[in-house]
Amino acid sequence: MEKHELWQAVLSKIEPALSRPNFLTWFQGTGVMDLAGGTATICVPNGFVREWLQQKYHKSLLHAMREIDTDIKEIAYVIGQPENTGSMFKDRFLRRKRPSMPSPFMSDDMSIKELSVNPETSLNPRYTFANFIVGSFNELSHAAAQSVVKNLGTTYNPFFIYGGVGLGKTHLIQAIGNEVLTHHPSLKVRYVPSEKYMGEIVDALRNQQMGALKEKYRAVDLLIMDDIQFIARTEKMQEEFFHTFNILYERNRQIVISSDRPPQAIATLESRLRSRFEGGMIADVGLPDFETRFTILKTKAETKEIALSEDVLKFIAEKIKNNIRELEGALNQLIMASKLSAAPIDVDAARKIVASHAAAPRKFLSHKKILKVVADFYDISERDLVQHSRKKDVVRPRQIAMYLMRENLKTSYPSIGDKFGGRDHTTVIHSCEKVAQDLLINPDLEDELKAIRERILIV
Ligand code: ADP
Ligand code: MG
């Protein structure tokens, strides 16, 4: 079978399981580059897609490929352009209309079901306290999470945990659920990412089954809501969640919530929800230090029964600082490389593998990126941010963007002014000073800036 025919067949198998935007996002511009020695080499447009395919779709891809060609044993992902599959993709997949669109809120995590996920609770049994590594960056949230298990519904209710991408929030909050169930199997636990919750509400409204849905969430002993920041975008969803929250809270049922930022930094969060969250325990996860990164790599390499030298692990731990998922990604690439090559992996080989991570442009800091992250963070448009809009809710984000440019890029005041529609340099100075002053009296702002800085590093 030709390479592009194989890929076409694989995509046809994958496509029905995904929402259309998802499918297009992750598979447009991909192709099979090589099929030799049992390894299918798939080319992808950039490092981000590569990481995503590896993390989310690797199993499904491999499965689909093997169904078609049993000789294929492994998949390697490289950044590059497919030869002639571009037009095939357009003809086959772009023009076709799908009969029905899945819910617009369907999240990536949900699109291909992991078999091991418990259908009752939606918990993934792989997230446990036993395999969660504790360092100074997460010890507070870890301790709080354990205390939640011991004092369910009483001491820390709600428990709100926040931090950047790939730092273990989902792992930790699911570990709470799994641990509770090992001690009290009869308790009702439910884990749900807020995007999925919203999708369920949309469906229930369409099918007139809101009653059943309310019952489902209001009958639990422990509700774990992941990535609550998405819910803040729509008032109706917040409204619904607020009622469920109150009912659970009044019955002393435990609520655990995660977010990429603290409650006060979720711009569109209704104040009554925010004050509810603030009434419980709020803990943050920061960035892991070198020792912890090393321990994480070492432990994961051991569980995968792969012998990698300490030098190689130290090298990786040194290079990848901001994201534990990326750390795992690099380790998996090393493991794959070591399976494919006869020689043991040394630091040089590791350097090549990590270089492909580090080469991604997302590590590069620019004015544009600061604007994008700040606009995203406050859920406003970049246009409003830079133009002369006087809307109240853009004034502060704008000051913060200016402050971050000054702080991180050492840009001169006049040229920051230029970036914001030709504002005068005195305005810029005033803005930066305002933020600096606010920082002295408002500890929440410090948290907010920290969350933004982390995103700037990670995005
Ligand atoms: P987040 O929800 O903050 O984006 P995840 O919980 O999904 O991050 O973590 C990303 C990956 O890193 C997961 O595979 C998770 O198991 C792993 N991970 C994160 N933190 C730890 C930790 N402290 N110990 C071991 N593995 C971790
Ligand atoms: Mg998560």
Side-chain angles (χ1 to χ4, degrees):
M1 189 187 276
E2 289 281 328
K3 282 179 288 188
H4 76 269
E5 283 173 33
L6 167 75
W7 193 233
Q8 193 165 310
V10 168
L11 292 185
S12 303
K13 279 179 183 285
I14 298 273
E15 191 202 17
L18 301 189
S19 74
R20 190 158 174 79
N22 255 330
F23 178 73
L24 293 180
T25 306
W26 303 116
F27 292 99
Q28 204 164 349
T30 59
V32 173
M33 199 172 230
D34 190 39
L35 282 174
T39 299
T41 306
I42 295 175
C43 52
V44 299
N46 54 52
F48 193 55
V49 171
R50 178 176 60 191
E51 194 183 334
W52 197 267
L53 293 190
Q54 277 171 338
Q55 298 292 334
K56 297 277 179 191
Y57 299 133
H58 179 73
K59 265 197 211 140
S60 322
L61 282 172
L62 193 58
H63 185 72
M65 284 208 170
R66 279 188 177 155
E67 278 191 344
I68 301 163
D69 184 345
T70 47
D71 286 342
I72 295 172
K73 300 280 180 278
E74 266 304 353
I75 300 181
Y77 302 83
V78 297
I79 297 172
Q81 289 238 321
E83 288 156 19
N84 57 4
T85 44
S87 61
M88 174 287 281
F89 194 95
K90 217 189 266 155
D91 292 340
R92 279 267 158 170
F93 298 105
L94 280 186
R95 300 213 179 118
R96 172 144 29 114
K97 281 219 176 74
R98 297 265 304 257
S100 74
M101 278 282 282
S103 150
F105 294 113
M106 191 155 123
S107 89
D108 293 301
D109 297 33
M110 292 302 113
S111 30
I112 289 186
K113 289 199 184 70
E114 278 186 57
L115 286 177
S116 53
V117 169
N118 177 330
E120 274 295 303
T121 62
S122 293
L123 288 169
N124 187 327
R126 101 179 172 87
Y127 295 122
T128 61
F129 279 117
N131 62 15
F132 188 80
I133 292 154
V134 184
S136 57
F137 75 109
N138 62 8
E139 66 185 336
L140 172 66
S141 13
H142 175 257
Q146 291 205 308
S147 173
V148 166
V149 173
K150 291 202 194 90
N151 309 289
L152 208 64
T154 53
T155 316
Y156 294 146
N157 204 16
F159 174 44
F160 189 104
I161 173 174
Y162 72 92
V165 181
L167 296 175
K169 301 182 298 298
T170 297
H171 189 138
L172 193 57
I173 60 178
Q174 291 215 27
I176 295 177
N178 283 320
E179 183 81 7
V180 162
L181 282 176
T182 57
H183 296 300
H184 311 283
S186 61
L187 288 185
K188 277 209 170 97
V189 177
R190 193 163 275 286
Y191 165 83
V192 68
S194 76
E195 284 171 296
K196 183 172 177 237
Y197 177 68
M198 293 192 283
E200 287 179 357
I201 293 179
V202 172
D203 285 346
L205 288 171
R206 191 187 301 134
N207 305 324
Q208 281 150 4
Q209 286 175 340
M210 259 323 267
L213 188 74
K214 283 188 205 292
E215 187 42 38
K216 168 171 156 186
Y217 283 101
R218 293 174 187 186
V220 301
D221 298 292
L222 165 60
L223 176 62
I224 306 171
M225 172 81 64
D226 206 353
D227 289 319
I228 192 96
Q229 70 272 9
F230 295 119
I231 219 175
R233 300 218 165 131
T234 56
E235 272 171 39
K236 192 142 178 42
M237 300 294 166
Q238 291 195 45
E239 176 81 9
E240 178 55 31
F241 180 65
F242 185 70
H243 288 308
T244 296
F245 182 102
N246 282 341
I247 287 171
L248 293 176
Y249 185 80
E250 276 155 22
R251 294 179 187 160
N252 291 325
R253 306 293 160 79
Q254 180 71 44
I255 302 149
V256 173
I257 295 165
S258 88
S259 167
D260 67 346
R261 61 191 86 175
Q264 69 272 15
I266 308 179
T268 46
L269 191 68
E270 269 187 59
S271 57
R272 49 187 192 161
L273 259 181
R274 181 173 312 160
S275 55
R276 282 291 192 191
F277 294 166
E278 284 168 353
M281 165 76 181
I282 301 184
D284 74 324
V285 217
L287 295 174
D289 52 29
F290 172 78
E291 283 306 319
T292 316
R293 299 198 297 273
F294 178 68
T295 312
I296 289 174
L297 283 173
K298 204 167 144 95
T299 315
K300 301 218 165 181
E302 275 162 15
T303 44
K304 295 186 183 190
E305 294 179 354
I306 283 287
L308 287 167
S309 75
E310 293 229 331
D311 284 350
V312 166
L313 296 180
K314 277 190 179 145
F315 177 78
I316 305 280
E318 192 56 66
K319 289 288 172 198
I320 298 178
K321 299 195 163 100
N322 304 320
N323 186 325
I324 296 170
R325 188 175 295 129
E326 273 192 22
L327 216 52
E328 286 186 328
L331 182 69
N332 288 338
Q333 272 182 293
L334 283 181
I335 292 174
M336 193 185 288
S338 80
K339 279 186 186 153
L340 293 176
S341 97
I345 298 290
D346 57 10
V347 173
D348 259 355
R351 181 172 290 122
K352 284 195 193 115
I353 289 167
V354 175
S356 59
H357 275 265
R362 60 212 164 100
K363 292 274 172 338
F364 187 73
L365 186 58
S366 66
H367 295 99
K368 256 185 112 141
K369 184 151 154 195
I370 291 179
L371 284 176
K372 184 175 176 340
V373 170
V374 172
D376 256 20
F377 190 85
Y378 292 103
D379 210 10
I380 54 182
S381 73
E382 281 181 54
R383 259 183 117 211
D384 277 348
L385 196 58
V386 299
Q387 288 185 348
H388 282 254
S389 157
R390 286 199 182 272
K391 281 185 215 154
K392 201 172 139 273
D393 50 351
V394 307
V395 174
R396 199 158 87 126
R398 188 182 291 139
Q399 291 172 340
I400 286 177
M402 290 177 173
Y403 178 87
L404 286 169
M405 285 182 185
R406 181 75 188 162
E407 174 192 69
N408 293 288
L409 299 167
K410 310 273 180 283
T411 316
S412 74
Y413 292 120
S415 85
I416 294 179
D418 286 345
K419 306 252 178 311
F420 289 84
R423 282 183 166 74
D424 192 71
H425 72 279
T426 54
T427 312
V428 180
I429 295 176
H430 171 76
S431 299
C432 292
E433 280 175 355
K434 176 90 177 59
V435 175
Q437 272 167 12
D438 286 353
L439 273 173
L440 296 176
I441 50 172
N442 180 0
D444 291 348
L445 182 61
E446 184 67 54
D447 285 345
E448 214 165 302
L449 274 179
K450 187 167 155 240
I452 298 174
R453 286 194 195 101
E454 278 173 10
R455 286 180 147 220
I456 290 175
L457 285 173
I458 291 162
V459 172

